[in-house]
Amino acid sequence: MRFRHPDGSTVHLAYCTNVHPAETLNGVLAQLRDHCEPVRRRLGRDRLGIGLWLSGDAARTLVTDPSALRGLRTELDRRGLEVVTLNGFPYEGFGAEEVKYRVYKPDWADPERLDHTTALARVLAVLLPDDVNEGSISTLPLAWRTAHDAEHAESARAALRTLAARLDAVAELTGRSIRVGLEPEPGCTVETTGDAIAPLTAIAHDRIGVCVDTCHLATSFEDPHTALDALTRARVPVVKTQLSAALHAEHPHLPEVREALAAFAEPRFLHQTRTLTAAGLRGTDDLPQALEGDAIPDAAPWRAHFHVPLHATPAAPLTSTLPVLRAALARLVGGPHPLTRHLEVETYTWQALPPELRPRARAQLADGIAAELSLARDLLTDLGLKELP
């Protein structure tokens, strides 16, 4: 979906396909048919943007086989789909029964992460629509914190410098500018947008910046205006923004709140949980740990890294951080010029919801994703953007 900003520029809205992950190219082609096109039809659109997730295996196939890449581009066109952004964070196994810490491997000290991201940039340069010259890729925020010593950090910085040179080469060869954004996430070396400023200003390259995920922003209790103003002052570009909402518990000391939170403690993904105290953020790597005894203080609200559907606020006594998303979006695209032009709804946890909330068929999942995109569309038009055909 495309929108015209009051300054005349185009803002793109997509949804991320990691909600129905596929490990192979054939699986990607099937998801376009079985999921993405039905969502487009529900929205009554001739064209729908998708934020494509490509595993390491699928990316290797596309970058080494030009006919396969042309075939994917043809299939996108045939189904009324377009790609301006890729999710390059998970490398493989995102549909596994247990993902947890595996999603942070390989990290930016491992040459495989650099090679994978380079492959994605080359693929995206071909997949971009004919009238679009800029693409974006979100990626791991360097590493999970426990693996990041001084040697590891220098290897990651060197890899990002090499990536910057490769992105320049892609632009020179194709005429398409591909930008990569580190996606701050709780528990990682770059946990907040503030953590991203030092490593990115050290690289100081306009094709490497930040991907702001509004669920992660909220989980870390970052104020959107403060965070985005700091990035602007530091001249760190917001390459893309993932529109997502975290799980919020206002009174975590109450037994009924603990019981409601426990329904979201599931075995597939990490759900980092945080609370803001006078001494700063306190938290755990996962929601079950937070629910065990007094692992973190419960006198103030908790937020958990669980991407809840944007249009469906959890039942009381829980809620979501949709207000944080609204505030971030107002700052990102509500001003005289957009801070980013690539927006991506990223609710990948539909099948991790409590059983009674999960979609039971493809049609229900398509309905839910379409409802999320409709909400995002309304937020954008309320900010003065005009939906384009």
Side-chain angles (χ1 to χ4, degrees):
M1 301 168 76
R2 299 187 185 192
F3 297 80
R4 181 74 67 210
H5 189 274
D7 75 349
S9 62
T10 300
V11 173
H12 295 265
L13 172 65
Y15 89 90
C16 187
T17 64
N18 62 356
V19 62
H20 18 250
E23 296 291 325
T24 66
L25 178 56
N26 284 338
V28 171
L29 296 173
Q31 78 184 194
L32 302 183
R33 178 194 66 223
D34 296 339
H35 299 288
C36 303
E37 186 176 8
V39 171
R40 177 182 66 77
R41 292 186 182 279
R42 278 164 173 74
L43 291 165
R45 304 287 305 174
D46 293 332
R47 173 175 55 188
L48 177 67
I50 58 171
L52 202 57
W53 177 66
L54 297 171
S55 71
D57 180 75
R60 278 190 297 272
T61 298
L62 290 168
V63 83
T64 57
D65 185 347
S67 65
L69 184 51
R70 288 193 300 269
L72 174 57
R73 173 63 191 273
T74 298
E75 190 69 3
L76 289 165
D77 293 341
R78 188 169 77 88
R79 298 196 180 277
L81 306 169
E82 67 177 16
V83 174
V84 303
T85 189
L86 300 179
N87 187 328
F89 195 136
Y91 177 74
E92 62 185 0
F94 202 62
E97 292 185 4
E98 182 177 330
V99 178
K100 299 289 185 181
Y101 295 95
R102 291 171 52 191
V103 76
Y104 306 106
K105 293 291 186 179
D107 63 31
W108 273 100
D110 186 329
E112 186 56 40
R113 176 62 65 171
L114 172 61
D115 291 343
H116 176 57
T117 309
T118 302
L120 293 178
R122 292 171 177 163
V123 166
L124 183 55
V126 175
L127 295 183
L128 286 176
D130 293 340
D131 60 345
V132 175
N133 291 316
E134 184 177 291
S136 62
I137 302 170
S138 48
T139 190
L140 178 78
L142 299 184
W144 184 254
R145 68 183 186 281
T146 55
H148 211 61
D149 57 20
E151 181 180 358
H152 201 274
E154 178 50 42
S155 296
R157 285 192 293 269
L160 288 177
R161 288 191 290 267
T162 300
L163 175 67
R166 292 181 180 180
L167 295 176
D168 286 343
V170 169
E172 185 174 348
L173 288 170
T174 67
R176 265 79 185 278
S177 176
I178 308 299
R179 301 197 299 167
V180 173
L182 303 184
E183 182 185 332
E185 176 165 317
C188 292
T189 302
V190 175
E191 176 158 340
T192 66
T193 55
D195 294 336
I197 290 174
L200 291 176
T201 52
I203 295 168
H205 195 286
D206 61 4
R207 289 196 174 95
I208 300 183
V210 165
C211 167
V212 175
D213 183 301
T214 57
C215 171
H216 303 173
L217 190 81
T219 301
S220 294
F221 287 86
E222 290 194 80
D223 173 71
H225 292 279
T226 302
L228 294 169
D229 285 349
L231 293 175
T232 300
R233 286 194 302 272
R235 297 184 178 180
V236 173
V238 181
V239 169
K240 67 184 278 190
T241 295
Q242 288 172 328
L243 305 181
S244 53
L247 195 61
H248 180 96
E250 187 69 18
H251 302 292
H253 65 285
L254 296 175
E256 61 268 29
V257 176
R258 294 290 187 107
E259 183 180 356
L261 283 170
F264 287 84
E266 54 81 38
R268 180 176 295 181
F269 302 111
L270 275 187
H271 300 297
Q272 301 93 316
T273 304
R274 299 289 185 266
T275 187
L276 187 59
T277 72
L281 275 180
R282 295 280 302 279
T284 59
D285 284 355
D286 210 353
L287 181 55
Q289 298 167 4
L291 293 169
E292 293 172 0
D294 57 355
I296 58 175
D298 60 7
W302 287 4
R303 289 177 179 172
H305 172 216
F306 194 117
H307 291 219
V308 295
L310 301 185
H311 68 293
T313 301
L318 304 178
T319 187
S320 80
T321 60
L322 186 61
V324 177
L325 185 159
R326 291 177 183 269
L329 199 57
R331 179 69 179 87
L332 285 161
V333 301
H337 304 287
L339 298 184
T340 186
R341 291 186 293 275
H342 291 178
L343 306 173
E344 177 184 68
V345 171
E346 197 215 12
T347 305
Y348 57 83
T349 43
W350 282 92
Q351 297 301 337
L353 290 167
E356 68 275 11
L357 301 178
R358 294 174 194 169
R360 293 183 294 277
R362 287 178 185 170
Q364 288 182 312
L365 178 58
D367 289 342
I369 293 170
E372 289 193 292
L373 286 167
S374 294
L375 182 146
R377 176 187 59 202
D378 292 346
L379 293 178
L380 292 173
T381 56
D382 287 348
L383 290 169
L385 282 71
K386 180 181 178 182
E387 188 176 4
L388 298 175

